[in-house]
Amino acid sequence: MSKVYALASIRNQGKTSTAIALEQYFRKQGQKVACLQRIKGQYDGEQYLKNGCYHYSIPLEAVQNRDAFEHWLPKGFDVYIIEVSMPFSPIGSAFLDLFQTYNEIISADVKNSWEEYVRNYLLTYYQDPNIVTFFEKAHEKRFQEVITKVEKPLDTPCVDTGFILHHPKELVSDSFEPKMVLPRSERKVIAVGGFPAEYMDIFPNLKWFGYDYGAFITAIKQETYDLAVIGECINYALKLKHKPVDQPTICYQPSLYRDVRKRQTKKGSDRLPDGDLLSVYEKVRKTPVDSPLGNKGTHYESYNNRFRTSQTYCGNDIITKDKNFVYCNGWILPQYLIREGLLEV
């Protein structure tokens, strides 16, 4: 059994910085640590990689029961740290259900009005009073507060403005049995942008160009390689003129080569109602992964595909095969591509 630390909160509270600080604490003790996130696309993953962390994405199908979660925990680590974004929502709450205890991350500037702040945030974002139910449900569990962005260390767990974690031994954890073993391949891979970091485990010879698409295109023209992985970047207006002609290519930003439209997510008062949020929560936990999750026109409609992965582009299949290219309309894990026969290892 291995310890899994769940760090949960709404956005912009300091979960990622806390996770990295906790990872560094355990690493200095000589322990091997895996950092996990529920699938969020390109956001935040780069911070883990820049800090030398092992990083893995946990798909929505992993929340249905304890055994399913363990099958997505990579074997070979002493400690696991999972960042649960938006835990007071249908999907976030389903992830939090896996744990008997968790660490609630709270920014110092809202500490004294935390409950009111969260309730207002949720009501503004979701436009549905039922959303508060998930906050109340989370607080029925045993949890440890971790205050972030503090000027001076406190007597309780906290992260200061220098990103130093204090009192890490007081953070709480649960125990699980990791079962996932990723395949390994000696194929030469070149990659750019944001993509699931599992590729780096599967292909140890992977050469990542960060977000330097120019250098990547030069490498495509000059180097010999077996597979190209073209990841996401924030600039959805970016177009690449050169396209690999023969070698297999996985592309996580179809707009680089195709005329596709990014799905727009409205927030606050401009946001469409998400439908019955409690029903979405029940579907996440209890219905088959390939069954519909959201009603037409709501945010959760984007999860209505065989992987329950939020689709980035409107009116496009979750995966499109076009000659040597595989276009991924969302954060499709390489495990899924291998299973579908679209990625050779």
Side-chain angles (χ1 to χ4, degrees), residues 85-102:
S85 178
M86 295 296 283
F88 318 128
S89 67
I91 289 178
S93 183
F95 269 90
L96 209 57
D97 282 349
L98 295 166
F99 301 91
Q100 296 180 355
T101 182
Y102 70 98

Side-chain angles (χ1 to χ4, degrees), residues 11 38 86 88-92 120-129 131 134 263-277 280 294-303 310:
R11 294 186 175 102
R38 72 175 183 88
M86 295 296 283
F88 318 128
S89 67
I91 289 178
N120 289 337
Y121 178 94
L122 295 173
L123 290 170
T124 300
Y125 189 87
Y126 286 95
Q127 299 290 298
D128 185 337
I131 191 65
F134 297 109
R263 181 176 58 84
Q264 298 297 314
T265 302
K266 296 182 178 181
K267 297 181 180 180
S269 59
D270 296 327
R271 184 185 175 94
L272 285 173
D274 282 318
D276 186 348
L277 296 177
V280 172
N295 296 326
K296 186 174 178 59
T298 69
H299 168 71
Y300 292 104
E301 181 189 12
S302 67
Y303 290 87
S310 181

Side-chain angles (χ1 to χ4, degrees), residues 5 21-31 33 79 81:
Y5 290 79
L22 185 59
E23 189 272 351
Q24 292 173 343
Y25 165 75
F26 284 120
R27 200 197 307 183
K28 288 178 181 177
Q29 293 184 335
Q31 300 194 64
V33 188
V79 178
I81 303 167

Side-chain angles (χ1 to χ4, degrees), residues 36-40 43-45 48 55-58 83:
L36 320 169
Q37 287 181 293
R38 72 175 183 88
I39 288 181
K40 292 175 62 181
Y43 304 104
D44 295 340
Y48 287 100
H55 184 260
Y56 301 89
S57 296
I58 306 296
E83 180 183 335

